[in-house]
Every structure is written in C-alpha cells, then in structure tokens.
Amino acid sequence: GCVLVVSVIEQLAQWHNSTVKAAMERLCDYIPEKHNSLCLCIISFSIDREMNADVVCHSLRLCKQDPGQPLCHLYSPPKKEKPSSGLSQALAHARPKHQIRSKSFMGFSSVCAFPLLANLCEKIKYVLRNKLPFEDFDGDKFSTFPTLRGYHWRGRDCDDKNTTVYPGRRPDNWDAKSDSNCNGIWGVDPKDGIPYEEKFCKGADSKGVVLLGDSAGAHFHIPPEWMTVTQMSAKSFANLPVAFSDELDWPQFSEITGFLNSTIGGWTDSLYLRLRKRNRCNHRDLQNISQNGGSSGNLLSLIKSLARNQLLDNPAIVIYATIGNDVCNGERDTLAHMTTPKEMFSNVVQALRYLDSHLPNGSHVILTGLVDGRFLWDNLHDRYHPLGQLNKDVTYSQLYSFLDCLQVSPCSGWLTPNETLRNLTSERALQLSNVLKEIARSEKFVNFDIFYMDFPLRQTAEEWRKMGGEPWQLIEPVDGFHPSQIAAALGTGITWQKALHEWPQVLGKENPFNDQIEAVFKDQGGH
C-alpha cells in the first residue's frame, strides 16, 4: 500500500512539475471529501523525489524485511549502486533521515482507525463476515440499498418491510393487488379482469440466475485511472466510495449478473440480461454469491447466503464457477497448497447436495471449468503496468515478483517466470476441470439437472482478435490477473450460444408477451 501511494505521489509531482508536498495536496483534493481522512496521515511525511517508493517505504518502516526473508521491492535497485546491494545501501543512507518520523505512521496500515472511516469499516466487516446485505430490514436477504452486498449483488427488493416480498418468488395470488416478486408486473387488466401476472407470465417458464463464484465472477476491478497520473483528476476517484463498499467488485457489470451499463470501460452483457430479454417476467431475479478468494472449499460456507425457497420460489439456473483459486495461492510452495482432485470432488458434491435441498424443482446447474492461466504471463509479462507507464520502469513481471516476494501474489503458480511451474499449475487446473466434467456426467440430483462447460478463454480471445483487439486487453490492467470488462461481455455471448444450441431447456422459452409487458409496465422496469 505504501509503495503504491508513494509511487503515485512522486509521479504526480513529476507530471505537474511540482513539489512532493504540492503533489500530496493535489492527490488529497482528488479524493472525495468524506473519504480523505487518510490524507491527514499521508500529508504529514516528507519524500525525497530522488528516492524511489521502495526506499521511501522501507526507510519509513512502513515496509519491513522479516528475518530470513528477501528484501521486497517493486522498482529496480538504484543504478548508482551495485545491483546486489543497491537497495540495501540506499536504505542505509535514507534511514537516519526518517527514523524519528517513522513512529507517527503506525496507523497507516489501519485506515479504520480514522473516525470518519470507522463506521464504513464496521459495515464492510459485517458484509465480509456474512455475505448478506448490510441494510435488509425484513431479513429476506434482499435490499433497497445498492452496495454493501445490496442490490448490486442481488435483485432489488421492492418492499423491505415485508419478508414475503422479494425477487424470484412465485407470485402471490398472481399479484392481483401488489407486486410480491418485484418484477414490476402486478394488478388486473380492466378489460377482462385477468391479473397481468397470470396473463403474461403463467406457463412462461420463469427462472432466476445465481452465480456461485470467486473474484472473477464478482468482477474485481481497480480503476487504472487511480494510479495513472496522466489521466488523474477528481473525476477519477468519484467511484471510490462505491468501489470500497462493494469490496472492489463490480457485480452490477459482471458476466453472469450484470444489469447496469458499464462505467468502467467496455460494455455490459450478462446471462441475466439475456434471460430477462428472453422472458421479461424474470426481471430482478438474480443473485451474485461470489467472494474475492472464492474456491471450492470456502464456497461451502458462502453458499449458505443463497436466498431460494423450494416451495415458494421459481427454479433457478446456478452457475458454479471457481475458475482459479483452487490452484492459485500466494504460498512459496504453491503446489502443496493447491486443491487435490479428491478434495475438489468432495467439495463440489457437498455444494451440490446443499443446492438440491434448497433449489426448487426444475432448476439447472452449470459447472464451469478452471481457466488456463498461462494466458496471463504470456500476454502481460513484458508490458508496462499503469504504475510504470510514465517512466517505463514497472513491468507486469516486476509487479508479479514484488507480490510474490510479499507472499500476497494472487497466483504464485501462474504469475511467475518459471515456465515449469506455470505448466504444472495448468496441469492441476485441467485435472480439477476433469473432476467437474465427471461430476456432471455421473452425479444425479432430484431438483436439478447438471451440465459442464469449459471456461471459454480461447474462444473469447479468438472473438476479440476478430474485432481487432489485442489479447492483453482481456486482462484487468491494475492487478494483471482478472478478466476485464471486455472479456466478461464477450464470455457471455459464448456461454449463451453454447446453452442455446446444446441445452435449450436451461434457458427456457421465449415469452411471446414481452412487448405487451413493456408497453403496460414501461414505467416500472427499473432495476
């Protein structure tokens, strides 16, 4: 965190030809007023422009070197010194200047200590623990508030004081008097006395979409303009409060449950939007039950936040997609910490049994295979990261090495120059995908049928090339790891076509009354 902030401050000073102090003040001016308490800390220390961020942060003792561990650095060591000892010598020179000040920065690593951020931190801790909406007055797991696991993650509640009213339920008495399932269709047609829900949605094979996934499914994204000083302005940080209260995830633009027009580049196309277009009665019936770091193991607790009543609700299409974390970890001996095929089988079957006891009959489950993450290194390692674009001094290879040294790499097995290790990681990923394929082939459940599909990375890249794009644009620029907005949108089309041709029963039939629904309820269709 320190290296990131100091890098941005130093580059701001360079780009605007200002002092470091002026650059700090500029950065603080950019951050929304309610969330700039951190600046009280940042602005209190001095930085020498000739010292890179590694030297500054180590000298301030905000970064440390544990005994027996390597000295981690993002930037190349100072050129004036010998490469083997350059950073150590620079630190020895810098520390006397900063060691007195360093005592005042103990709170830097805990932004929740700031009074203005304490309340937000408590809310975020709650949703991280429970993965349920923070504001849900009736306890039905749906909310009228967008972030903090609210309706960005699940269909918007239309009555948060009534636990029997929520998206996805079968209509109560055909919703003649009120909208019990929040799809905006209710009341009685005065021409014939038939409830609109009965007229338009009876026999329409309505169903919701649920994602059980990881940070890729939640759509993790750090805006590159947060650290690209040539593009930076107050507008760059306008989305900071939303981003943090959604855990740096953007499910409202995601591949499976996206429903809003993307504001982070690319465009939004999702399985939910296509199901809604196919049958307008499916309006708001979505749940994104994903978490950063989600794997087949921790999904067993996450799945308990599913909101589906077997007796009262419509069937659902459940996408099970933990595409990387069963082989990805930040451990030095990464192979030893990967999920084994036996563990994968056990975890997934347990999850499916839980779903069988909670999903209404007639539901469907699609198991998605793991990605081949060699795509990341192959397409990014020699490109410049947003932090390195101004001075051409930070490549993705350097970023990956820095994160690996800190033992916080999102994937030590793939984000490495070690080709053998990358191949072994992909080999294990293929083994786990084959487990999923076998489960789909051999396991049977009462309330849903089950299908398997490979993660469509190769087809996505081919489609993007046809459109004139480059493969690296399919990867999130800041973390160099997650699928980008473009990749998510293209992946939706590929998944939809596969389902349409191979499993048409999953998607349900097209509702012939869609146009009439839009005509009658055009003012009640907002998400």
Side-chain angles (χ1 to χ4, degrees):
C2 176
V3 170
L4 167 64
V5 173
V6 172
S7 295
V8 169
I9 290 170
E10 289 184 334
Q11 290 184 28
L12 271 173
Q14 176 187 346
W15 181 247
H16 293 281
N17 195 24
S18 70
T19 64
V20 170
K21 185 175 186 298
M24 291 180 186
E25 292 171 348
R26 184 186 297 273
L27 179 61
C28 289
D29 286 342
Y30 289 161
I31 296 172
E33 191 173 343
K34 282 175 64 178
H35 297 82
N36 68 1
S37 301
L38 188 59
C39 290
L40 298 175
C41 173
I42 295 174
I43 210 161
S44 65
F45 66 83
S46 63
I47 299 171
D48 294 336
R49 276 182 63 171
E50 68 271 14
M51 293 164 52
N52 72 31
D54 295 314
V55 176
V56 171
C57 293
H58 277 283
S59 65
L60 291 172
R61 306 200 188 275
L62 294 173
C63 295
K64 62 180 180 176
Q65 181 184 14
D66 290 332
Q69 298 295 326
L71 186 61
C72 301
H73 58 91
L74 177 62
Y75 295 88
S76 298
K79 293 179 180 178
K80 294 179 182 178
E81 315 290 346
K82 295 178 181 178
S84 60
S85 59
L87 183 55
S88 299
Q89 290 183 10
L91 286 174
H93 175 73
R95 273 191 176 133
K97 180 186 282 189
H98 290 281
Q99 59 189 1
I100 297 173
R101 292 194 184 99
S102 66
K103 293 179 181 178
S104 64
F105 305 122
M106 296 300 291
F108 187 92
S109 62
S110 181
V111 295
C112 293
F114 294 106
L116 290 175
L117 294 180
N119 187 39
L120 177 61
C121 286
E122 284 306 309
K123 292 180 179 180
I124 292 174
K125 287 176 184 175
Y126 172 87
V127 297
L128 287 175
R129 279 196 307 270
N130 300 285
K131 297 297 184 290
L132 291 171
F134 181 80
E135 296 197 10
D136 175 17
F137 297 107
D138 57 14
D140 60 8
K141 301 182 180 178
F142 295 91
S143 177
T144 58
F145 189 75
T147 61
L148 295 168
R149 292 275 164 171
Y151 69 76
H152 281 173
W153 299 80
R154 302 165 186 253
R156 184 173 182 165
D157 204 341
C158 52
D159 186 348
D160 209 16
K161 296 178 182 177
N162 188 339
T163 189
T164 66
V165 175
Y166 53 86
R169 67 159 292 166
R170 291 198 296 272
D172 179 22
N173 194 28
W174 292 114
D175 284 357
K177 294 184 178 180
S178 63
D179 188 7
S180 66
N181 57 15
C182 302
N183 68 358
I185 303 170
W186 65 283
V188 175
D189 189 339
K191 296 175 184 175
D192 53 23
I194 300 174
Y196 285 114
E197 181 91 40
E198 181 180 4
K199 178 178 284 191
F200 296 147
C201 300
K202 184 177 182 180
D205 198 17
S206 300
K207 58 189 70 175
V209 59
V210 177
L211 173 65
L212 299 174
D214 51 22
S215 51
H219 203 28
F220 185 88
H221 167 81
I222 299 174
E225 57 269 24
W226 287 5
M227 54 191 69
T228 309
V229 298
T230 56
Q231 304 171 14
M232 195 175 289
S233 67
K235 187 178 178 182
S236 305
F237 293 93
N239 55 13
L240 186 74
V242 169
F244 276 111
S245 51
D246 268 337
E247 304 157 49
L248 291 176
D249 295 321
W250 307 76
Q252 68 272 32
F253 308 139
S254 64
E255 178 176 350
I256 303 300
T257 63
F259 61 89
L260 293 177
N261 291 331
S262 172
T263 60
I264 57 173
W267 64 96
T268 302
D269 189 5
S270 71
L271 182 59
Y272 162 73
L273 283 176
R274 291 188 177 223
L275 283 168
R276 182 187 182 278
K277 184 177 180 181
R278 191 171 181 82
N279 179 5
R280 173 60 178 73
C281 302
N282 292 329
H283 183 59
R284 288 192 189 175
D285 195 356
L286 64 102
Q287 296 182 56
N288 192 316
I289 302 177
S290 303
Q291 69 177 13
N292 299 336
S295 66
S296 67
N298 56 37
L299 212 62
L300 293 174
S301 59
L302 180 66
I303 199 173
K304 294 174 183 175
S305 65
L306 171 71
R308 215 67 178 179
N309 185 304
Q310 269 189 324
L311 300 178
L312 297 178
D313 297 350
N314 286 321
I317 303 169
V318 178
I319 311 295
Y320 183 104
T322 56
I323 66 170
N325 289 317
D326 283 283
V327 298
C328 284
N329 57 72
E331 302 291 340
R332 290 277 158 79
D333 53 343
T334 181
L335 291 170
H337 288 82
M338 293 178 184
T339 302
T340 66
K342 185 177 180 180
E343 290 167 337
M344 189 73 171
F345 182 87
S346 173
N347 291 339
V348 175
V349 169
Q350 283 184 67
L352 293 173
R353 286 173 181 161
Y354 182 89
L355 290 175
D356 204 29
S357 66
H358 287 75
L359 291 177
N361 191 263
S363 294
H364 312 278
V365 174
I366 299 173
L367 303 178
T368 305
L370 279 70
V371 69
D372 184 349
R374 288 176 292 193
F375 184 89
L376 302 168
W377 179 269
D378 291 346
N379 288 288
L380 281 185
H381 75 276
D382 56 354
R383 296 189 62 83
Y384 290 110
H385 184 267
L387 273 181
Q389 287 174 5
L390 182 65
N391 296 310
K392 309 298 182 204
D393 56 356
V394 179
T395 63
Y396 283 95
S397 177
Q398 287 170 260
L399 173 72
Y400 295 156
S401 296
F402 180 50
L403 296 177
D404 193 51
C405 180
L406 294 171
Q407 297 181 42
V408 294
S409 171
C411 198
S412 293
W414 276 324
L415 308 183
T416 172
N418 185 332
E419 184 179 5
T420 301
L421 184 54
R422 297 199 304 270
N423 290 338
L424 288 171
T425 304
S426 288
E427 187 179 308
R428 175 60 62 86
L430 181 60
Q431 291 171 357
L432 299 185
S433 294
N434 286 336
V435 169
L436 295 172
K437 196 179 294 184
E438 178 57 25
I439 289 172
R441 189 191 67 80
S442 61
E443 298 293 319
K444 305 297 178 190
F445 297 90
V446 174
N447 289 308
F448 56 83
D449 47 14
I450 186 167
F451 306 91
Y452 170 84
M453 71 172 289
D454 290 321
F455 185 83
L457 179 61
R458 181 180 55 79
Q459 301 98 307
T460 301
E462 288 175 0
E463 189 71 24
W464 185 231
R465 282 193 191 96
K466 290 176 187 175
M467 296 170 67
E470 298 284 341
W472 58 269
Q473 294 169 312
L474 300 174
I475 307 167
E476 275 293 319
V478 172
D479 62 64
F481 180 63
H482 292 93
S484 68
Q485 183 68 32
I486 294 169
L490 291 174
T492 297
I494 293 165
T495 301
W496 182 265
Q497 288 304 315
K498 181 177 178 65
L500 206 57
H501 291 108
E502 297 184 25
W503 326 310
Q505 72 273 29
V506 172
L507 304 178
K509 55 192 175 185
E510 199 155 350
N511 191 331
F513 298 108
N514 282 335
D515 291 341
Q516 288 176 256
I517 295 171
E518 291 297 340
V520 176
F521 296 99
K522 60 180 181 294
D523 296 326
Q524 299 185 41
H527 284 96

